[in-house]
Structure formats: structure tokens, C-alpha cells
Amino acid sequence: MGALLGNVLEHYVMLAGVLFTIGAVGFLVRRNVLVQLMSIELMLNAVNLAFVAYNRVHGDDMNGHMFVFFIIAVAAAEVAVGLAIVLSFYRLTGSVHSDDADALKG
Amino acid sequence: MIGAGNVLFVIAGILALAGALITVSSRNPIRGAMGLLATIFGIALLFLKLNAQFLAAIQVIVYAGAVVVLFVFVIMLLGPDALGEVGSFPKGKSKVSRGIGGGLLAILAGVALVLLAGRGGAHVRFGDVQPDHGSVEAVGGLLFSRGLVAFELATALLIVAVIGAIAVARGKQTKSHLTPAQRGDGEFFHGTVVARDDRGRPPSKGDG
Amino acid sequence: MDLVIALSPLLAVGFGGLMLMLAEAFGKPSEEGISKTTGDVVDAGAGRGAELGLGASVVLIAGAVMAVGVWIVGPETLEGVADVAPYLLIDRFSLFFTFVLCLGGAFTALLGGGYLPEHRIDRSEFFPLVLFSTFGAIALAMSGDLLSLFVGLETMSLGVYCLIGLRRGSARATEAALKYFLLGSFAAALTLFGAALLYGATGHTDLVGIGEAVATIGQPDSTVAAMPVLLALALTLAGLGFKVAAVPFHQWTPDAYEGAPTPATAFMAAVVKTAAFAILLRVLLVGFGEERLMSWGTGWPPVIATLAVLSMTVGNVVAGRQESVKRMLAYSSIAHAGVALVGVAATIRSTEDATASVLFYLLVYTVSTAGAFGALILCGSRGAEAVSYEDLAGIAKRHPAAALAFSLFLLSLAGFPPTAGFFGKLYVFQSAIDSELYVLVIIGLVNSLIGAYYYVRVMVYMYMREPVPGAPVAKPMSSGMVTSAIVLAALLVLGLGILPGVSLDMAIAAAARGG
């Protein structure tokens, strides 16, 4: 078991799954918008890890690596837009607390 | 036999997990950003272990160099307000329901993970790969041959992000000689919102 | 050269967006624009909303015409098409959606050209964003690979988040953008984890390869595990269900629809939803089109059917309780997503007919809902926007044409003959009957009756109520661009209603080639 550690696919997939879950729970439980955005980044990082680990098993086609490249690019763009919206929200409400987003009632 | 590679996996994995837990649990977002940084470095180390040198470099450059720095900038810009929870405690009911929701999700995810790994001891061991697996040449070659279409599509994405981020976040538009009420669409003005709602009535609640 | 022709709609929209961006950056602000925003910073595009809107709509209509052109030439005869596969699939299915998406985008641009100057939102970034978002939507509808699916989805979504947040001074708009952004990114992350699991299980990211690998599950020599595939299916459905605003992934919809500037709302209702349905159909039918996954007992149809029932019921019941017409239209869009999902569920038997019915329904819905939001815009003016039912009281006396057009679109949304909406619903329910989903059809019909209540209620207010003295009422605006958008939509609603045959034949051809 010890020698297998880090040399089998399952370890990486489990780690990715746990990271993804931590991110998802953080997103749902926390109400600080900045922390929620960081939780989404955690989830995307977990996806990256899963892709690279799977690519290691699927041989030399590099499809998984290419996918991760795009995820990283998109994540950066997403954060830029997200923080822009957070700043705009903060200017108007003086808060980054998503419970303060209550002008619209359902 | 436990070799250096196994130790690397353990260290990187613990780094990533601890960072993730700090990110979602810390009250101060700046600590959260540092946790995120730890996770990012942990995953970059794992990428190295998985023969993904190119992505490990990109991971550090883009995530640590751009994304986390952007987060830190914004947290610094907001100052103490970035704590968020100060002064506006979560409403009791929604806090409970959120906790239940999060707990349920965690249980579901746990079950899913057990099912995923549920093939007993039959592990998929990593085989040998070509020496250029994950190198800049291998990934870059694919990116500019078969993946060129997706690459071009991504340019549109970056343009959208640039236009959009500027359009949304650009500061106060002008120092107008008109009062906000005259301009009429509820402009941000001197730190408070002098707004009218979409029907032109004064705001009843929540807009301020 | 073949490739340029095949991609011409996409290229036209993309280059149009770049041109508009340059025009906005280097153009001269209008005199009026300067006087409105006197100060040290003046947008180059200030006061040019009408011109830019016209430009954007011309580009998008050109894109729609090019899609028709490629359709007539026949994408099968163009040789270069294989070069961009599987990232972009140029088939009749894609072209049908390209046409619908360009049409929806053009409506948005026309409405924006009237709405933004009227409400003094000098944000000329609106139009390049509409074009690039439509670009992303077209790429999404064309994509046959999880990679281009993701990139297209994010291009479209990032544009829409910014369209909502453009009205920086409005707390409602910013809040709507924030909510939509957070939940949208979360949904995208779920979809991505599904993509990673699919890649892990099958070794492919293209939908055809995934479909072939998934088909081997259960065979003795198969290397594909069933569990990750099912989990990936669930995650993908959740992510796409969010984009089509199906219950229970709908919480963002009313807030985002209400807070956004009305043209952006029309864009979300028409373009985003249509593109999401395009890729939902493609993923389900190509990636998960294997026989057992498509059967009632062991696959996704019961999940889709549940989503359909929930969406129709919740959408209609809650829509009836709204006081804001914009919110009502938001819930109505959820209900319409439910009806379209009935068509998706019906693909289990008569796959092609059911797909065609969904395609036709989306075309009809795009036109009707864009027209309805256009009429809502026309009914209001600066400082007196039409939002609630009371605002619309007696509008028929003040602006009979706007009230008439609004009524037409509402009748189409409700599904009364001889409007297009009637045939849209008819074909969807017909294909559901062919697939023996009788319960779904009955629930759908009951829901149509509930829906009629709140659509007719708007008409009652417009024609039979007088405004309460002293209460603020909506003053109709005058805008050639909004009017032309409404006239175009009205012609299409009536045309598709009286002569549904041509477009239905096209939908059937599209369903046969793609999906």
C-alpha cells in the first residue's frame, strides 16, 4: 500500500473529489462573496487535478492537459469579471455579504 | 518501499487539503486567499508528480501570479469591509438551512466518492509514458494543431471578459453637475445611493 | 474557402463585434451624449446607443441570413467542415440554432438601441457584449466536444453577467448580476467535474467518442465503468438545467430577469435558453444516446420528465402570484423551459420528431418572448417604466398599438391559436403522445390552462382597468427601433402560426441531420 501511494489513479481522483466537495460545501455555506468566489476556484482546481490524473492513465493523447489549459484560462477570466461585479456591488451596498443582496424579493 | 515520490504525494496532498479547508473556513478572506495559494501550490506539485510539467508551470503562473493576486488586491481595496460578516450576521433560519444543505451535499459527495472508488482493491496503476508526456512541445503542439478551433474560441471569451470587467467595474462615471435624481437611473453618488427604483419612485427598502 | 462559407455566420458575428468595439472606442460621442454626462470622462460611445444598436442588429441579421445561405448550399457539400470537427459541428442542427440565436440577438440589439438611450444608460459596451455573447451561444450550439462546449458556455455566460451588471448605479441590477454570476459559475464547475469524469471513464472529450464508449458499458470486454458515467450525467444535467432555468435549478431566474435592463432580460430568455437547449439535446442524444440510457427504466428520461413537470408546475403557479410583469415573464420562461423539456423527454421513442418539435418550439418561444419584452419596453419610458400590472392599467387607451402587440405575444406564449405558440405546444405534446408519455401531456395541458390566467390578466389590466388616480403609470415611449423589432416579431408570430409548415420542415430536417 505504501509504495502504491501516489502511483495509482484512485488516490488522485479521491483527492480531487474531496477538494471539489470542500469547495462546493464552502460555496453553499459561506456568505462572504469573496470566499464564495475562492470556493469556486477550489472546485476548478479539483477538476484540473482530475483531468491531469486521468490523462496520465489515458496515455499520450494530451487531451486532458489541453482541457486543463483552457480551464485555467477561463478561470482567470471568470475571476476578473466576478471581482468586477463584487466591486460594483460593494460600491452600492458597502458590503460583500451575499445576504445583503435582498433588494430583489422572490 | 516508500520512496521520494510517495512522500511528495503525501506532502502535496496534505498541503492542498489543508489549504482548501483554510479557504472555506477562515473568517478573514486574506487568510482564505493564502489557503487558496497553498492549495494551488499543492496541486502544482501533484502535476509534477503526474508528468505535467507544463501545466504545473501554468498553474503557478496564472493562479498564484494572477488569480490570487487579484483576490488580494480586491481584499486590500475593500479593507476591513472584506470581512463581510461584520455587522450583518446571517439570518438564523437561513444559516441553519444552509448548514443542512451543506451537510447533505457533503454526505452525497461522500457516497458518490465511495461508489466511484468502489472497485475494491483493483487499482489502476500508472503505466509508463513517453518522455515528452506533458511537456511544452506535446501540449503546445496539440493546442495549435487539433485544438486550434477551441483556442480561437477562447479569444472571444477573453475579449468578453475584458470588455465586461471594464464596463462593470469602471469607477464613478463622471462628476456630473446634475443631481442623481435628475439623471434618474440611480447613480452612485458621494458614498450613498440616491436612487429611484425602476418605476421612478423613491426606494422603499433595500436599495440603499 | 468552403470552411469560411460554412463558418460565415459565426465569423460575421465575431468580426461584427470587433468592429463595433472599435467604433465605440474611436467614434465621436454625440453632442447630446456629452450634455447628458457632463464631466471629465465621457464614453466615446456616449449618446450613440441607437447607432450602435442598429449596427449590431444589422450584423446579427446578416448572421441569420448567412445561416440560411449555408443551409441552402447544404453543409454536407462543404468539404472543409471536417477540419473544425469535433469542436464545431456545422450541420443542419447547428444552422437551425444559429439562425434562431442570431434572430434573438438581433431582437436584443434593436430593443437595446431604443431602451438604453431612453433610460439614459450610456453604456455602449452593451452592443459588443451582445454580439460576443451571441458568438459564444452559437459556438455552444455548434460544439460537439466538451472543450468547446465549456468555452462557448463561458463566453456566453460572462457576456450575460456583464450585460446585467451594466447598470452600475442600480443596486437591483448589480445584485442580479452578482447572484447570477455566483450560481452560474457554480453550475459551470459542476458541469466541468462531470466532463472530467466522462474523460476519465471513456478517454474522450468529443461527444461522439463518449457516446461510442458509453455504448460498450456492460459488455464483457468493456473498460468503461458505469458509475462515473452516471455521476457525470447527473452533474451535466444539473449544470445545463441551471442554464435552461429548469426547476429546481431556477432560483436565480426571477431575480436576474427582474434586475437586468429589459433588453438583457430578453437576451437571457431568448438566446441563453435556446443555446442551452441546443447543447442539452446534443449531449443527451449523442453523448448519452445509448439505448439503455435512453430508456424509461434505466436512463435519463425520467429525470428530464421530473424536471419538466416541476418546471411547468412551479413556473406557472408562482407566475400567477407575481405583481411585477417582468417577474411574471421570468416565471413564465421557467414554465416554457418545462414544456420544451417534455419534448426532450419525448425523444425516447420518436427521436427525430420529438427533437424537431423542441427545435420548432424554441424558435416560436424566442420570437414570442422577445416580442413580449419589446412590448413591455415600448409601454414604458424614462422614469415611468412599465414593471407592475398597475403600471399597465389602461395602456390600451394611451398606446393602442403597443397594447395590441403585447396581447399578441401573450396569446402566443399562452398557446392560443392562430399564433405560433399554439403550434409550438401542439407539436411538443403530439410527440409526447407518440412516445406514450400521457401523464406529461395531461400535466402540460393543465399547466397551459393555469398559464392562460396570468397572461390574460395582463390583457385585462391593459384593456379593462383604469389607472388609480395619482398612482404612477407607465408612459409609452416612442422608438423606431423597438417598434421595428416588435413588428418583425409580430409578423413572425403570425407567420409561424398561420403557415407553420415551412419552418417545421426545416426543424425536421435539422433534427434528422444533427442530434
Side-chain angles (χ1 to χ4, degrees), chain A residues 8-25:
Chain A
V8 290
L9 173 68
E10 278 74 13
H11 294 161
Y12 290 90
V13 176
M14 291 300 272
L15 183 59
V18 171
L19 279 176
F20 190 84
T21 312
I22 292 175
V25 171

Side-chain angles (χ1 to χ4, degrees), chain B residues 115-116 146 149 156-157 159-160 163-164 167-168 170 173-177 182-183 186 198-201 207, chain C residues 18 21 37-38 41 43 87-88 123 125 132 135 154-155 159 162 166 168-169 171 227-228 382-383 385 391 472:
Chain B
L115 285 175
L116 263 185
R146 202 149 48 78
V149 180
L157 176 105
I159 293 179
V160 167
I163 307 177
V168 171
R170 199 173 42 178
Q173 193 174 356
T174 57
K175 293 190 184 87
S176 172
H177 64 272
Q182 278 171 312
R183 266 180 283 138
D198 295 338
R199 270 168 276 172
R201 299 171 197 137
D207 275 4
Chain C
L18 289 177
M21 214 168 83
T37 52
T38 317
V41 190
D43 288 355
Y87 296 109
L88 295 176
R123 311 312 313 278
E125 293 96 341
F132 284 119
F135 180 93
E154 284 294 317
T155 308
C162 298
L166 270 188
R168 276 176 319 214
M227 210 57 226
R382 188 163 118 83
E385 197 169 355
D391 291 343

Side-chain angles (χ1 to χ4, degrees), chain C residues 384-402:
Chain C
E385 197 169 355
V387 174
S388 70
Y389 284 94
E390 274 81 18
D391 291 343
L392 290 171
I395 201 93
K397 288 209 178 96
R398 281 171 279 149
H399 200 312

